[in-house]
């Protein structure tokens, strides 16, 4: 797991995700979705493991799953597993908000 500083403060993070609570950051070749849902930040790979559709606009349901807009596969925001194991798990990353900035911990 690698750590990347994204922002100097939580305020900058809030500005970045904006009113819709969503944004994408690029880490090298990788794009990662940042989503604010019910006061909690989530970070996960931008592309769905099933057929590489963007998950940026995927709804977050009451089970804390991101729902892919293309075929409605549902991925746990805790461990990335698809609810019916129809495809490989989504990579879930971590956001740490510290006094010296906001960090993204990216799984390899
Ligand atoms: S591309 Fe996401 S469920 Fe098929």
């Amino acid at each position: 797991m690698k750590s990347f500083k994204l922002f100097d403060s939580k305020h900058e993070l809030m500005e970045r995700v904006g009113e819709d609570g969503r944004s994408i950051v690029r880490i090298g070749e990788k794009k990662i979705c940042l989503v604010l849902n019910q006061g909690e930040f989530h970070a996960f790979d931008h592309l769905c493991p099933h057929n590489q559709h963007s998950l940026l606009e995927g709804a977050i349901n009451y089970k804390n799953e991101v729902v892919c807009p293309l075929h409605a596969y549902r991925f746990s925001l805790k461990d990335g597993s698809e609810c019916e194991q129809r495809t490989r798990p989504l990579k879930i990353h971590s956001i740490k908000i510290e006094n010296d900035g906001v960090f993204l911990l990216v799984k390899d």
Side-chain angles (χ1 to χ4, degrees), residues 5-88:
K5 185 173 183 177
L6 294 180
F7 306 104
D8 288 331
S9 66
K10 184 178 178 183
H11 179 74
E12 282 184 29
L13 171 62
M14 295 296 285
E15 281 188 349
R16 178 65 178 265
V17 298
E19 286 190 12
D20 62 353
R22 289 162 187 265
S23 187
I24 286 184
V25 292
R26 184 184 288 271
I27 302 292
E29 301 282 306
K30 209 176 190 40
K31 287 183 179 176
I32 294 175
C33 295
L34 304 179
V35 173
L36 176 60
N37 184 57
Q38 296 183 349
E40 199 172 324
F41 286 100
H42 302 281
F44 48 85
D45 276 5
H46 168 235
L47 297 177
C48 176
H50 177 233
N51 210 7
Q52 306 295 297
H53 190 78
S54 171
L55 292 171
L56 184 63
E57 301 304 325
I60 309 293
N61 68 14
Y62 72 98
K63 290 182 170 179
N64 218 20
E65 297 166 330
V66 58
V67 183
C68 179
L70 191 57
H71 304 114
Y73 285 18
R74 295 180 284 129
F75 299 90
S76 165
L77 289 176
K78 285 193 175 150
D79 63 10
S81 61
E82 200 283 320
C83 68
E84 295 178 26
Q85 274 95 47
R86 293 173 283 193
T87 189
R88 66 184 190 278

